[in-house]
């Protein structure tokens, strides 16, 4: 078998060296299994990194939680044993239950001594509970577990919308969490709301919410933004022949928008940066002092 490429993060994962064994108490089994959670990016075929591909090709078993069936078919060209995690989703079933079952399916193969690769679309660590949980539990049980980053929809958003998060800052929230809690937001920075198609979803088992739920979101946002403030519904292209969705609309029209589970809402800043005169004066005085004693 070909050896996977090294990532340079050898403390957490040494795929090209003999599998490390931790010293364990006699009551626990030796850890021969391992787990790599890898991201394959958003655009089919073109975002995968050489490291992610290497982990897939060299695994004993591959699990896939990806955006659609075409991506699963593509993964099957890389490995003969690709097991979809999609069947764990079911109408009326709580998402938390689905995610727990996915983690258990992955860990069962790790515990059986297999070299397991779990593939997620985008970045496996971004707005994704199962990969973080699987890695945490695997490590607690003494197995080697590692996360390989991927190109997230966030990365595509910066590229497509031409946003540099460093220009005025950029804050990210899950839409429902933003609605349910009194978050301190900065209206002079970008606000990115994930899972906007699920705005206000509290039951844990619905895959979409209604315009009335989105109206509640608009009510919350209107504490900071006027209803005519332009917002952008964004969906990165997942297939090479697609164009990204970048639909601009006044905030007040959001409840009537046709939203998908893959949509993200980008809210541009509504106010200019406010100078902190006290801190600025302190820094001017500090620089003057240091120049004087130099
Ligand atoms: C469970 S999170 C998974 C995110 C994924 N791990 C990533 O790195 O992009 C799902 C949310 O990610 C965002 N998302 C997923 N696919 C997207 C796409 N093609 N374009 C824009 N946002 C997307 C949406 O906010 C969606 O509701």
């Amino acid at each position: 078998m070909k050896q996977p490429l090294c990532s340079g993060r050898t403390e957490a994962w040494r795929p090209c060296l003999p599998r490390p064994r931790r010293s364990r108490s006699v009551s626990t089994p030796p850890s021969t299994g391992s787990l790599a959670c890898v991201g394959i990016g958003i655009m089919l075929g073109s975002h995968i990194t050489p490291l992610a591909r290497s982990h897939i090709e060299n695994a004993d078993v591959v699990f896939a939680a990806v955006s659609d069936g075409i991506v699963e078919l593509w993964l099957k060209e890389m490995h003969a044993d690709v097991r979809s995690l999609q069947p764990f989703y079911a109408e009326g079933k709580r998402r938390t239950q689905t995610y727990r079952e996915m983690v258990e399916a992955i860990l069962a193969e790790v515990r059986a001594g297999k070299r397991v690769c779990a593939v997620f679309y985008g970045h496996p660590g971004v707005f994704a509970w199962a990969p973080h949980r699987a890695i945490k539990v695997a490590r607690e049980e003494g197995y080697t577990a590692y996360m390989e980053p991927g190109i997230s929809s966030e990365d595509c958003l910066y590229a497509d919308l031409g946003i540099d998060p460093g220009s005025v800052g950029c804050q990210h929230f899950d839409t429902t969490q933003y609605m349910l809690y009194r978050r301190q937001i900065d209206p002079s920075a970008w606000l990115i709301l994930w899972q906007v198609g699920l705005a206000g979803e509290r039951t844990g088992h619905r895959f979409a919410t209604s315009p009335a739920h989105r109206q509640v979101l608009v009510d919350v946002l209107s504490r900071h933004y006027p209803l005519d403030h332009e917002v952008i519904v964004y969906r990165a292209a997942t297939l090479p022949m697609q164009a990204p969705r970048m639909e601009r609309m006044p905030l007040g029209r959001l409840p009537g928008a046709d939203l998908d589970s893959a949509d993200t809402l980008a809210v541009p800043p509504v106010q200019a940066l406010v100078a902190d005169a006290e801190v600025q004066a302190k820094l001017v005085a500090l620089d003057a002092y240091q120049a004087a004693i130099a």
Side-chain angles (χ1 to χ4, degrees):
M1 179 187 279
K2 267 192 306 177
Q3 284 296 312
L5 299 166
C6 271
S7 69
R9 299 178 202 203
T10 48
E11 278 167 28
W13 175 250
R14 302 180 185 176
C16 46
L17 299 174
R19 294 177 203 179
R21 282 173 187 259
R22 287 211 194 151
S23 55
R24 304 177 61 83
S25 72
V26 285
S27 59
T28 49
S31 55
T32 54
S34 65
L35 172 62
C37 289
V38 309
I40 52 164
I42 297 295
M43 172 73 76
L44 172 67
S46 53
H47 285 178
I48 188 169
T49 64
L51 266 172
R53 181 183 282 275
S54 176
H55 282 298
I56 293 166
E57 289 176 347
N58 290 283
D60 296 321
V61 53
V62 175
F63 288 93
V66 291
S67 46
D68 68 46
I70 302 175
V71 182
E72 284 184 9
L73 289 176
W74 171 63
L75 287 174
K76 283 178 180 158
E77 288 174 8
M78 284 180 242
H79 199 283
D81 188 0
V82 175
R83 304 179 193 175
S84 176
L85 291 169
Q86 290 302 327
F88 288 106
Y89 287 103
E91 205 63 47
K93 182 173 170 183
R94 291 187 71 81
R95 270 187 299 283
T96 48
Q97 178 66 17
T98 299
Y99 298 151
R100 283 206 183 90
E101 288 174 9
M102 288 178 174
V103 169
E104 273 314 301
I106 292 167
L107 288 174
E109 295 297 337
V110 175
R111 290 173 188 135
K114 306 265 180 64
R115 183 185 290 224
V116 178
C117 180
V119 180
F120 298 84
Y121 76 92
H123 186 307
V126 173
F127 285 81
W129 183 84
H132 284 294
R133 179 71 189 166
I135 287 174
K136 181 172 185 287
V137 175
R139 285 181 180 162
E140 281 170 2
E141 295 182 10
Y143 299 102
T144 301
Y146 167 76
M147 180 178 284
E148 179 59 31
I151 295 179
S152 168
S153 55
E154 175 184 352
D155 302 304
C156 302
L157 179 145
Y158 294 143
D160 287 330
L161 298 184
I163 299 172
D164 179 346
S167 61
V168 289
C170 190
Q171 52 214 320
H172 292 256
F173 295 101
D174 171 77
T175 305
T176 300
Q177 189 190 76
Y178 168 75
M179 294 166 72
L180 291 175
Y181 298 91
R182 288 238 166 219
R183 308 308 306 258
Q184 299 293 319
I185 68 149
D186 178 351
S188 61
W190 279 86
L191 172 66
I192 310 297
L193 293 179
W194 296 63
Q195 310 211 93
V196 67
L198 280 174
E201 194 332 73
R202 295 175 316 102
T203 66
H205 59 72
R206 280 180 299 202
F207 293 101
T209 50
S210 67
H213 290 83
R214 289 200 287 280
Q215 182 58 54
V216 178
L217 169 63
V218 169
D219 294 345
V220 176
L221 283 167
S222 68
R223 292 176 186 153
H224 298 280
Y225 304 91
L227 292 179
D228 62 357
H229 186 62
E230 186 180 77
V231 298
I232 309 163
V233 174
Y234 174 70
R235 191 188 314 155
T238 56
L239 299 174
M241 65 288 279
Q242 281 176 347
R245 177 182 189 186
M246 297 183 284
E247 194 179 338
R248 294 166 190 274
M249 64 186 72
L251 174 61
R253 276 207 11 235
L254 189 65
D258 182 20
L259 295 186
D260 182 90
S261 62
D263 287 325
T264 297
L265 187 72
V267 183
V270 71
Q271 68 182 45
L273 295 172
V274 180
D276 187 327
E278 190 184 328
V279 172
Q280 292 197 11
K282 200 181 273 181
L283 289 172
V284 168
L286 177 64
D287 288 344
Y289 172 72
Q290 289 187 339
I293 62 168

